[in-house]
Amino acid sequence: MQTKTPATIITGFLGAGKTTLIRHMLSNARGKRIALIINEFGDLGVDGDLLKGCNDEACGEDDIMELSNGCICCTVAEDFVPTMEKLLDRPDRPDHIVIETSGLALPQPLIRAFNWPGISTRVTVDGVVTVVDGPALRDGRFAHDEAAVDRIRAADESIDHETPLSELFEDQLTCADMVVMNKSDLLSPDEAEAILGDLKAGIRDGVRIVPSSMGALPVEVLLGMQSAAEADTEARHEIHHHHHDDDEEDHDHDHDHGHDEFETFVVSRGEVADASAFAEQVAEVIRAHDILRLKGFAAVSGKPMRLTLQAVGPRVDTYFDRPFGAAPRETRLVIIGQAGLDRAAIEKALTA
């Protein structure tokens, strides 16, 4: 049985940095073959041109598809679903699909589209990443140039209604599995802390907010959330059920930095006595130390099968995947988080 292809939806207002984030992802794909669906408007395929050739091994020109017939959440049946089917029908099906929505598209209708019969058994929403402009929020705006957002909205005939930017912003936050506070290098520590507090009021429990400079985030932070968002639409409520649009973005920067803001290390231990109790222990350690991602496997006493653990924020998923066989019966967990994690305390807590 073929597993579902994971897809990540990247949303956020014009100029927040979605295209830059995707460029960095492609340049650091670690061998993962990524296909892109870009929601463009008008005749200027700016995002497509910026992304093509960014990393031919990770994402060649044939792996980039542009939807320019209107807002992605308004053209599901005639545009989005056929494009997804085309990607999924390929003999060289991609490892991961990344969908860059237009700046004013709502993520919720797009997530619901993953339940359409033609694709529901073949693809799943791995996660929704909402990119926000840190300095704009500091200055009391939702986008660097709100006037430009409104001009694009007014000029596009596919828009069927008016929606305040505040409501669009709230929808994007409510739907997120991760919020990227971009351009954080332009904020003072006090400013960043204040914005983090405001953002936390608009997100669901367990959703992480990750500071970023020019979208330079490790691919393992952005991909692999396994949220299956299409099965969780009720929790991602939306203020309204209409849609909008706008075109995207962004500027071209050097990406060869930013990973030093994150760290990864491995914790090893022997067998654990109880699988459920250990999963609860892992969740508590994640909450206490603000760990972004944890993955690995454990040896459970009396069980021949290996217990696999995957955690995004405090949500821990476990399942027994295969026998240990001749391999050592040990527990090994990879921890991913922002720089400054208390490794000694985390290791002590996980091996207790």
Side-chain angles (χ1 to χ4, degrees), residues 7 81 91-92 109 120 143 152 244 259 265 282 284 320 332 352:
V81 171
D92 58 339
S120 63
I152 293 170
H244 344 278
H259 287 202
F265 60 94
V282 167
E284 181 55 40
F320 288 98
R332 287 177 61 82

Side-chain angles (χ1 to χ4, degrees), residues 107-108 111 128 130 170-178 202 204 229 236-237:
Q108 289 90 342
I111 290 172
V128 178
T130 296
E170 185 174 331
D171 275 344
Q172 291 176 353
L173 288 182
T174 301
C175 203
D177 293 294
M178 175 178 289
R204 293 171 295 122
R236 303 162 189 263
H237 81 92

Side-chain angles (χ1 to χ4, degrees), residues 2-9 37 80-81 84-85 87-88 93-99 110-111 113-126 228-231:
Q2 192 168 28
T3 58
K4 291 185 179 183
T5 299
T8 295
I9 298 171
I37 297 177
F80 173 67
V81 171
M84 289 293 291
E85 289 176 327
L87 279 175
L88 296 169
R93 183 192 286 204
D95 300 320
H96 205 108
I97 298 170
V98 172
I99 303 162
L110 182 57
I111 290 172
F114 281 77
N115 290 312
W116 277 57
I119 60 175
S120 63
T121 61
R122 306 166 69 193
V123 66
T124 182
V125 181
D126 179 68
E230 71 277 9

